Amino acid sequence: MSVEAGTEPTTDPTTDPTAVNDETATAASAKGDTAPGTARAPEAGPAPSSVTMTKALNHALRDSLADDDTVLIFGEDVGRLGGVFRVTEGLRAEFGSNRVWDSPLAESGIIGTAIGMAMNGMRPVVEMQFDAYAYPAFEQIVSHVAKMRNRTKGRVSLPITIRIPYAGDIGGVEHHSDSSEAYWTSTPGLTVVTPSNPADAYSLLRESIASDDPVVFMEPKSRYWMKETLSLPVSTAPMNRAQVIREGTDATLLAYGPTVRTALDSAEAGAEHGLSIEVIDLRTLSPFDDETVSQSVRKTSRAAIIHEAAQFGGYGAEVAARLTERNFTYLSAPILRVTGFDVPYPSPKLEEFYLPTIERVLDALESWDWEL
Amino acid sequence: MTIDVPTTGRSLPQLQPISFIGADGRLTDTPTEGLRIPSDATLTGLYRQMVLVRRFEAQVTHLTRQGRLATYPSAAGQEAAEVGATTALAPNDWLFPTYRDSAALLTRGVPVAEILAAFRGDWHCGFDPHEYHTSPAATPLATQTLHATGFAMAAKLKGEDAATLTFLGDGASSEGDTHEAFNFASVWQTPTVFVLQNNQYAISTPLREQTNATMLADRAAGYGMPGLRVDGNDVAAVFAAVSAALARGRNGDGPTLIECLTYRMESHTNSDDPTKYRDTEEVEHWKQFDPIDRLEKYLRTTGALDDATVAEIAEAAETLAASVRDAMNQEAEVDPRELFAHVYSTPRTALAEQQQVLETELAAAGCA
Ligand SMILES: Cc1ncc(C[n+]2csc(CCOP(=O)(O)OP(=O)(O)O)c2C)c(N)n1
């Protein structure tokens, strides 16, 4: 199957005028980002072509539907329209409305019915239209999706994949740019995955759907239009493993989803200041890959974690604590967090002041006492 | 310009609840919506099960007062709804109960020790859902209504001959999930029966402060499904209505809402004091509508029940009560290592590290 290259459309402003600021979205795609080369393409296969993250995700869904009759896709506007980000485009036409369909508009209803379907042998892949619109389903996710296996001593497992487009930097209006990962990662029973590039998006989504555990699959909206030259299908490093995507010896930057690009750019900028910076893409937030990250931090002795979500009680706090507990004697400086401020995600004209920038990352690096 | 107005399929439930057997044990003259009274043989079976269930509830309530169970929500007084609805299920159908539906679990064949494991504090769900075609009893209100809908949707997609039944309370009917479930089930035309046990209270909140609707069964119309209001203390009516609704669902005609008017005779759980929110007069009033008394009167007039059968059933109830006592007198076997065993399908390093902490503690305590 060949993958269409080209400029992927943004959210259709005529169908969801509040969703995405069209200009900003195009600007994001026009950054012309390329992936940090995590893909290992198979020997034979279709010729490589330029693939956006949305296309890679779409391809993963299509292959999962084709491989396994129990895979079902439903959610708000995922059928005819193909989702507001077009991730499910064409799937209803290809697999029929018994496999891919538009559900009534109710997030708790979507997750709650997915639970029943999974209990009856299905593998539902459901979409929450935007990060903050998963909140009506919070109860079903934390009280049931996460706990059913435990409650029933493993007799009932729920192989549900919950796709959540998340985070900002796309000029979205209120409630369209939240980073909700800390809610999910502090819930035992959930696996939380977030790719930062098209190859991982394909590979991790395939793995998530095949997993017998429920997965919250967080898609960084600002990376949806990122392109990579790829032959799909592709199999990248396994889920639950972090990856060193740039080697360095002086400090480690940890990032995931939308901030991987920020981390790489900061490392690049750091090199100009004579710093050799290692960058790790966490890929899976829960479970946390202590091994890969600790190894890097023991080598570099300094680490900073970058995320868009607010700092207090955020995911970075967990990372800093774990790394300190395990590697205290190897550290020559405190582990830092470069994050969004502890304020609600701002409106489009202010988001550039909120988001962690290369400058803030460099400031953090500079704050360490390098003489020690 | 004219606007097309669809006029078919819209009807509101009748105000007078569907009932076959009145409080006096005689056939009523209230409308029965084309439903047929179950045979005497079926009714005798329902009588027997209600007697067993009542004895079970009394025994468990007693054990809870003795501190053998951490908590218990009794459905004493609601036997007709619990038993009538559950008995109507075919073995392949799935039940989606809540915390108050132990009587339904018992009717479904779940062993008493497995039903009570949750309330004694052994484990959240003590039975295998697949074995009894019964979901773990949900505690977050109304969440199970969506699970029942989704399960039925999968059955429909797979072409399975299975329907689902879920219980919810009058309080739970105010939750958003109830409305989402009604809507999803109706849009998807799933074979789901929603049995709303209107027992007049949600903990201490009376129905009139829960809803301003004339009746809860009316809500069905807004979702494009049939709603029935049933005398929930008349097991004949409950069984007939639920059987018809299940048949409807299996036939591809979608979900049904059945409101059972009933009354909770005990406190909400052992930890609340019902005298704070209701008076004894009210409780006495509802005793006149006792589901077991009236069926016994009726079946004695038809000749289906005699003293000997009643005595035999009472004896079976005592045997059941004894088995409940035995089960609860045995120390529960809990294995702390199981804390980690059922969180994920594959092992997790971080969990293994925490498990090691526990292992060390257990070894130090001589429990290795
Ligand atoms: C979402 C949620 N909110 C609150 C509670 C606490 N709670 C447990 S039972 C109950 C009352 C429920 O009343 P009703 O639905 O009428 O059922 P009944 O207990 O009368 O059978 C409440 C408020 C809960 N279990 N779930």
Side-chain angles (χ1 to χ4, degrees), chain A residues 139, chain B residues 99-100 139-141 169-172 175 199 201-203 264 268:
Chain A
E139 181 192 33
Chain B
Y99 52 86
R100 198 180 295 290
T139 310
L141 291 168
D170 42 291
E175 290 277 0
N199 66 6
Y201 288 90
I203 306 187
R264 157 165 65 73
H268 170 73

Side-chain angles (χ1 to χ4, degrees), chain B residues 336-337 339-340 353-363:
Chain B
R337 288 167 189 90
L339 277 176
F340 297 97
E353 285 170 13
Q354 294 180 3
Q355 185 164 2
Q356 201 46 55
V357 174
L358 180 66
E359 294 288 353
T360 311
E361 287 171 2
L362 290 174

Side-chain angles (χ1 to χ4, degrees), chain A residues 72-76 78 101 103 110 113-114 117 124-127, chain B residues 188:
Chain A
L72 303 172
I73 294 177
F74 65 100
E76 294 158 15
V78 299
W101 72 94
S103 77
I110 292 168
T113 54
M117 288 183 215
V125 184
V126 293
E127 179 176 294
Chain B
W188 292 349

Side-chain angles (χ1 to χ4, degrees), chain B residues 33-347:
Chain B
E33 299 272 301
L35 300 172
R36 296 223 335 245
I37 187 167
S39 70
D40 275 7
T42 302
L43 289 175
T44 308
L46 291 167
Y47 171 81
R48 181 189 176 87
Q49 189 60 31
M50 286 199 296
V51 171
L52 292 179
V53 150
R54 175 162 297 176
R55 186 67 188 90
F56 172 85
E57 297 284 16
Q59 182 62 74
V60 180
T61 300
H62 190 69
L63 289 169
T64 309
R65 289 199 185 113
Q66 289 179 356
R68 291 249 160 221
L69 289 92
T71 186
Y72 190 69
S74 162
Q78 301 179 216
E79 293 87 355
E82 292 280 331
V83 170
T86 311
T87 307
L89 290 167
N92 241 7
D93 296 337
W94 269 65
L95 172 70
F96 289 78
T98 73
Y99 52 86
R100 198 180 295 290
D101 303 320
S102 300
L105 298 184
L106 189 70
T107 306
R108 199 84 174 125
V110 183
V112 292
E114 295 181 23
I115 295 173
L116 297 174
F119 299 113
R120 185 165 60 177
D122 308 354
W123 199 267
H124 299 308
C125 173
F127 59 92
D128 181 351
H130 291 291
E131 190 174 349
Y132 303 101
H133 287 202
T134 298
S135 175
T139 310
L141 291 168
T143 51
Q144 76 286 352
T145 58
L146 284 163
H147 307 167
T149 302
F151 194 100
M153 179 61 169
K156 183 176 159 162
L157 291 171
K158 293 202 279 186
E160 275 173 3
D161 181 27
T164 59
L165 185 153
T166 181
F167 286 111
L168 67 149
D170 42 291
S173 79
S174 298
E175 290 277 0
D177 276 7
T178 297
H179 301 275
E180 299 193 15
F182 288 175
N183 189 47
F184 274 65
S186 187
V187 171
W188 292 349
Q189 289 285 284
T190 63
T192 312
V193 183
F194 299 100
V195 178
L196 197 167
Q197 298 196 69
N198 179 355
N199 66 6
Q200 315 300 326
Y201 288 90
I203 306 187
S204 62
T205 306
L207 186 68
R208 67 176 181 280
E209 287 174 42
Q210 191 66 248
T211 178
N212 200 29
T214 307
M215 61 168 128
L216 296 170
D218 278 349
R219 294 190 178 168
Y223 297 99
M225 67 174 159
L228 298 175
R229 183 184 229 204
V230 171
D231 178 340
N233 283 8
D234 176 8
V235 75
V238 175
F239 179 84
V242 173
S243 300
L246 286 165
R248 219 185 141 258
R250 268 194 267 277
N251 202 32
D253 295 329
T256 306
L257 169 62
I258 297 176
E259 178 189 3
C260 293
L261 286 177
T262 184
Y263 194 76
R264 157 165 65 73
M265 300 307 296
E266 289 286 341
S267 49
H268 170 73
T269 65
N270 48 310
S271 54
D272 66 308
D273 173 8
T275 62
K276 289 211 166 133
Y277 55 85
R278 66 187 193 188
D279 52 38
T280 39
E281 261 168 51
E282 185 184 287
V283 182
E284 289 305 315
H285 171 77
W286 274 92
K287 275 189 185 155
Q288 302 169 63
F289 301 95
D290 187 83
I292 297 181
D293 288 353
R294 74 163 85 171
L295 182 60
E296 185 174 328
K297 278 185 203 150
Y298 172 75
L299 288 175
R300 280 180 185 272
T301 61
T302 68
L305 264 189
D306 55 20
D307 286 347
T309 321
V310 170
E312 182 266 308
I313 293 172
E315 207 180 299
E318 286 315 312
T319 309
L320 173 70
S323 79
V324 172
R325 288 192 299 271
D326 286 350
M328 291 302 105
N329 280 333
Q330 277 163 29
E331 249 343 287
E333 277 182 36
V334 293
D335 178 1
R337 288 167 189 90
E338 277 206 276
L339 277 176
F340 297 97
H342 313 294
V343 188
Y344 301 98
S345 61
T346 49

Side-chain angles (χ1 to χ4, degrees), chain A residues 335-352:
Chain A
I335 292 169
L336 297 178
R337 292 169 290 168
V338 185
T339 67
F341 297 128
D342 292 340
V343 302
Y345 194 91
S347 51
K349 286 186 178 152
L350 293 171
E351 66 182 343
E352 64 172 303

